[in-house]
Amino acid sequence: MKKKNANKWFGIAASGALLAGLVQVAPSFAATHKAAPRKAAPVIHLTLGQWSSSPAEHQLVLNQAALFMKENPGIDVSVRVVTGNYLQVMQPMLASHTAPDVFYVDSSYAPQLEASGVIMPLNHFIAQDHVAVKDFYPNLVKAFTYRGTIYGLPKDFNTLALESNPALLAKAGIKTPPATWAQFAVDAAKLKAKGIVPISFPIDVARYYPFIRDMGGSYYNTSRGLATFPNKNNFAGLNWFMQMNEKGYFVNPTLQGASWGGQVFAEGRAAMTAEGAWIVPSQQSTAPKMKYNITNFPTLNGHDSNMVYTVAYEMAKATKYPAAAAKLLFFMTGPQALAMTAKSGIAMPARKSQEPLFLKDWPSYKAFVNGVKDAYPYQFGLLGQNFVNAINNATQAGILKHQSAQTVLGNAASTLSSQSNY
Amino acid sequence: MGVELAKLPKMKRRRITRSAVDQALAGYLFVLPALASLVIFLLGPIIYSFYISFQHFNYLDPQAATWAGFDNYLHLFVDPVFLQALWNTSLYTLVVVPVQTAIALFLALIVERIRGKSFFRVAYYLPSVTSSVAVSVMFVFIFGQTGLLNNFLSIFGIQGPNWLNNPSTALLAVMMIGVWTTVGQFMIIYLSGLQSIPEDVYEAASIDGAGGVSMLRYITVPLLRRTTFLIVVMGMIGTFQLFDTVDVISNGQGGPIGSTMTVVLDIFNKAFRDMAMGYASAMSFFLFVVILILTLIQNFVLGRENQ
């Protein structure tokens, strides 16, 4: 009897212990790098947080920080690279006031951080330091403005363009890549007849949202912070996108066993794809010999809506040296630092004044720069990832089950409402 | 220490053991570091997360937490994402636990008999000590549209599905990964169970004219009952906590179309992505209660022989 009890309690304790073990998620830091040796004794020590992308980007940040220290001998900056899931590592640090003073923030979750009061509002500092906010592309600044207050300044951005493989297009007798999606549909029929996948394009709101906007719809009311899925203005755009998928003109990369369009494109298994400038380094490493063209994201219904993915520098509210941190933030998003970004070609600088410099060195990026004009920042307020998951799952299921746009949007709305506020 | 105490003269021994309090204190002092870390890092968080499971608790803004009563727990039953996760997880457990237990027993029976026992032990145990992330990445290649498995199937003229991207096959693929990784570990436990069965029982049975099958049915399986109980309980706890595989193959989304969303993945997303720590804690305790109840039921069914 006693043994049985012991066993039972062992079972209970074991399940409890295992359950608790789940919480042990390991956030990790790579080594903290000193940007450069300094001469004068530093008075203030700041930390700058970035996620790990490429060694080239890390080097760029180190160089920018070194220049800042040269100009501000009283401030010492070390760059901290967060490895692993960036947001997940930053959250506990922000909550416990141990986050870096200045750090990267992606537009997709910026409102969630800004609303929770862990980010320093910048309006006061911007006025004090006379920062020319007008030099930034306005929709980028808007992505880091929450309820009228600016919380971050954008450092760079990315938009969508059309990448096409001239060799595959020629097989179907197509000489120039389509400039409109109507022309695309004509070309796609020809390509499909030759057994070529016309375009590798994911069923993801992050990519197809321009079609909704081109057709006069909107999934999100920015001023009220509400999702507006079941609205008849959205039917036309979504219907068009779903039809393109059902006809096999748009093919989801996962259907071809790939994780994104660039992979299918590099393997020559699709004539076109519509990705951001990140496809350029990827093409260089996976298909260096392949010839391809980058042209403007085609227009639909006479509109040239696009998506913009942008990253800002924001400042922790808990920073010990707000004035110095603001100085660093403004430097890192300032003309000098962004000129270095432009030279490096790693990303497109967020300041309009840097555009000529950037395009002089990187003329092939013209289509991406063109895209920013009528681009919507990839961001759905506080609804964040729940919004994206709800609409993506509903759209994927809708295309699979041949549902109507109305049903898809209704499903997305009901899923989202069950997820919010918990 | 006991022996040395016994050797001492009676008078002296009484003097040393005089103070039971002293001795207890010394004991507690020795285990204090372990006890403290257990309380601070295990018991404390569990109790605290139970407390915040009754609150609307934003991770980034703990000061603004508000009392929610049973709201978080009640919402679980109307949350379609959670319900699908619970359904997926239950289905996964229902398939994986019996299959992996049966295969583990089968392998143990074979491995016990053949030559090169230790080689097979190591070979079957390897998946269990391999990083589950590495295993998942490997299976992403195996289950790809033009992956290893579909290439193998095409030899027989079968056109394999796009395993991980098809909502109707994704969970099945995850089940196969689950069975593959855990079978070896449970085989080792069965092997040790088999070794504890006394040889004379089999001898007696063979004298009575029992064949291999009836020996297995009437001797091996019943005598392995405690081992089976342990394996089923451990297997069930493991399967209910499925996380890393689905996190890797679906990029944390639980896709395609929620077909690989599991309870723990949902907890993780709610806690660390949506920052709804209160709700995620409620989900954790719900999962704890589910596992607890299932363990007690199994204890009742499989563990009665002890009485």
Side-chain angles (χ1 to χ4, degrees):
Chain A
M1 193 62 213
K2 207 170 177 191
K3 197 179 167 198
K4 187 194 164 183
N5 262 330
N7 268 321
K8 187 164 79 185
W9 289 111
F10 169 75
I12 295 167
S15 23
L18 281 165
L19 193 69
L22 292 172
V23 189
Q24 298 169 359
V25 182
S28 50
F29 279 118
T32 301
H33 296 285
K34 271 270 155 51
R38 52 195 160 60
K39 283 167 202 148
V43 205
I44 292 170
H45 185 96
L46 294 177
T47 310
L48 186 147
Q50 69 162 139
W51 54 68
S52 61
S53 52
S54 60
E57 185 174 338
H58 181 52
Q59 194 53 51
L60 172 68
V61 173
L62 286 180
N63 292 345
Q64 289 166 332
L67 187 62
F68 173 78
M69 283 190 281
K70 209 172 148 196
E71 292 189 356
N72 299 274
I75 305 172
D76 186 36
V77 179
S78 48
V79 178
R80 214 176 191 186
V81 181
V82 173
T83 56
N85 187 329
Y86 184 75
L87 184 60
Q88 181 205 317
V89 175
M90 289 302 286
Q91 281 171 2
M93 291 200 298
L94 285 166
S96 62
H97 298 183
T98 52
D101 302 277
V102 175
F103 51 92
Y104 280 19
V105 172
D106 189 87
S107 63
S108 62
Y109 48 74
Q112 281 156 298
L113 295 184
E114 291 156 4
S116 63
V118 292
I119 307 287
M120 181 76 86
L122 295 181
N123 289 20
H124 167 70
F125 297 99
I126 287 172
Q128 219 168 36
D129 285 34
H130 308 291
V131 179
V133 178
K134 280 202 174 127
D135 190 27
F136 295 96
Y137 296 97
N139 43 1
L140 304 189
V141 177
K142 219 165 97 186
F144 303 101
T145 305
Y146 182 73
R147 294 200 176 152
T149 304
I150 299 176
Y151 284 90
L153 288 180
K155 65 183 186 73
D156 53 29
F157 71 94
N158 240 305
T159 61
L160 298 177
L162 185 77
E163 294 85 26
S164 55
N165 182 333
L168 287 178
L169 289 184
K171 276 189 189 169
I174 301 160
K175 290 190 185 74
T176 51
T180 68
W181 288 108
Q183 180 60 42
F184 166 82
V186 177
D187 294 346
K190 291 183 202 161
L191 286 162
K192 208 184 161 217
K194 295 272 178 195
I196 301 166
V197 169
I199 191 169
S200 183
F201 197 100
I203 304 175
D204 184 349
V205 70
R207 298 286 186 278
Y208 85 74
Y209 192 50
F211 307 138
I212 305 294
R213 295 182 71 227
D214 280 338
M215 297 290 229
S218 164
Y219 278 175
Y220 183 71
N221 182 327
T222 316
S223 54
R224 291 171 63 208
L226 289 176
T228 51
F229 293 127
N231 182 321
K232 60 179 188 299
N233 294 337
N234 296 334
F235 295 166
L238 183 58
N239 255 329
W240 181 85
F241 178 66
M242 288 172 72
Q243 269 169 22
M244 285 287 136
N245 273 279
E246 278 167 33
K247 281 185 185 160
Y249 293 175
F250 277 44
V251 176
N252 194 348
T254 61
L255 281 180
Q256 294 182 272
S259 54
W260 68 297
Q263 191 186 339
V264 181
F265 186 71
E267 289 164 358
R269 293 195 288 143
M272 291 172 257
T273 191
E275 291 287 341
W278 53 80
I279 198 172
V280 178
S282 154
Q283 282 287 111
Q284 260 157 14
S285 62
T286 54
K289 285 184 189 145
M290 191 176 132
K291 277 210 169 104
Y292 68 103
N293 296 315
I294 306 172
T295 48
N296 287 352
F297 193 73
T299 60
L300 180 67
N301 198 23
H303 296 284
D304 58 352
S305 180
N306 204 317
M307 293 304 275
V308 61
Y309 315 91
T310 176
V311 177
Y313 276 110
E314 300 201 345
M315 202 166 123
K317 202 171 194 176
T319 178
K320 278 186 204 135
Y321 312 106
K327 214 175 219 176
L328 175 63
L329 192 154
F330 295 145
F331 180 86
M332 295 302 281
T333 55
Q336 266 179 303
L338 290 194
M340 292 165 85
T341 305
K343 274 266 176 222
S344 76
I346 288 167
M348 287 169 287
R351 279 175 179 269
K352 283 185 268 188
S353 56
Q354 301 299 324
E355 196 180 300
L357 179 71
F358 176 74
L359 288 177
K360 200 182 93 212
D361 286 339
W362 308 93
S364 60
Y365 282 59
K366 182 93 175 82
F368 299 113
V369 177
N370 290 344
V372 75
K373 193 168 71 267
D374 189 18
Y376 179 85
Y378 179 54
Q379 179 184 83
F380 301 100
L382 300 179
L383 304 171
Q385 196 64 39
N386 279 329
F387 178 103
V388 173
N389 283 354
I391 187 65
N392 280 355
N393 280 343
T395 315
Q396 284 166 17
I399 287 168
L400 196 75
K401 296 176 187 163
H402 306 287
Q403 290 166 340
S404 69
Q406 202 166 349
T407 314
V408 167
L409 295 169
N411 288 344
S414 67
T415 309
L416 181 62
S417 70
S418 73
Q419 297 300 301
S420 301
N421 302 321
Y422 273 92
Chain B
M1 195 173 174
V3 181
E4 275 168 27
L5 280 178
K7 269 195 240 164
L8 292 168
K10 215 177 177 185
M11 278 287 287
K12 252 189 163 175
R13 196 168 85 202
R14 194 188 295 148
R15 198 164 61 84
I16 287 173
T17 59
R18 183 191 48 186
S19 166
V21 178
D22 270 8
Q23 234 184 14
L25 203 65
Y28 278 114
L29 272 173
F30 277 120
V31 295
L32 188 65
L35 200 67
S37 70
L38 203 70
V39 169
I40 294 169
F41 296 110
L42 191 68
L43 213 57
I46 290 176
I47 293 168
Y48 189 63
S49 69
F50 185 66
Y51 169 66
I52 66 169
S53 75
F54 295 98
Q55 292 184 327
H56 292 296
F57 189 98
N58 185 321
Y59 193 4
L60 284 180
D61 199 5
Q63 273 83 30
T66 52
W67 190 251
F70 282 96
D71 270 15
N72 287 336
Y73 287 93
L74 292 176
H75 186 70
L76 288 175
F77 298 96
V78 292
D79 178 348
V81 176
F82 177 75
L83 291 178
Q84 186 175 23
L86 193 61
W87 164 250
N88 288 343
T89 313
S90 309
L91 198 65
Y92 177 83
T93 303
L94 219 61
V95 173
V96 169
V97 171
V99 170
Q100 77 187 8
T101 310
I103 297 179
L105 177 61
F106 180 71
L107 289 178
L109 289 170
I110 296 177
V111 167
E112 212 209 2
R113 257 144 247 229
I114 52 176
R115 273 159 186 260
K117 205 191 279 188
S118 37
F119 167 75
F120 283 103
R121 265 190 221 180
V122 172
Y124 285 122
Y125 197 65
L126 265 182
S128 308
V129 291
T130 311
S131 148
S132 57
V133 173
V135 166
S136 308
V137 170
M138 183 181 86
F139 271 94
V140 168
F141 288 110
I142 292 177
F143 283 120
Q145 172 86 79
T146 50
L148 206 62
L149 181 63
N150 281 355
N151 263 319
F152 176 73
L153 289 176
S154 69
I155 298 173
F156 306 100
I158 302 168
Q159 165 73 47
N162 190 345
W163 292 94
L164 296 175
N165 291 307
N166 185 334
S168 50
T169 53
L171 191 61
L172 185 69
V174 176
M175 286 171 180
M176 290 194 239
I177 303 173
V179 170
W180 185 82
T181 40
T182 45
V183 140
Q185 184 192 348
F186 293 139
M187 181 200 75
I188 300 285
I189 300 176
Y190 262 134
L191 270 178
S192 68
L194 282 174
Q195 274 153 12
S196 69
I197 299 176
E199 204 54 42
D200 43 5
V201 186
Y202 289 106
E203 276 169 26
S206 71
I207 289 167
D208 287 346
V213 178
S214 44
M215 276 199 221
L216 177 69
R217 188 172 178 318
Y218 294 106
I219 299 172
T220 313
V221 172
L223 287 179
L224 282 176
R225 199 171 164 147
R226 293 306 305 171
T227 315
T228 307
F229 172 68
L230 178 73
I231 287 173
V232 169
V233 169
M234 279 177 39
M236 197 198 65
I237 292 170
T239 51
F240 257 98
Q241 297 183 345
L242 175 65
F243 171 73
D244 27 22
T245 313
V246 284
D247 187 46
V248 172
I249 67 160
S250 74
N251 251 326
Q253 306 292 314
I257 322 182
S259 58
T260 60
M261 178 58 82
T262 67
V263 174
V264 179
L265 183 59
D266 197 17
I267 293 175
F268 180 83
N269 283 342
K270 290 284 183 318
F272 296 101
R273 192 194 67 201
D274 304 339
M275 308 175 209
M277 205 45 99
Y279 187 49
S281 299
M283 289 163 97
S284 304
F285 277 92
F286 183 83
L287 179 65
F288 169 69
V289 170
V290 168
I291 294 177
L292 184 67
I293 290 171
L294 289 175
T295 309
L296 292 178
I297 291 173
Q298 282 165 359
N299 197 6
F300 184 70
V301 175
L302 285 164
R304 267 181 304 183
E305 66 181 325
N306 269 345
Q307 285 179 331

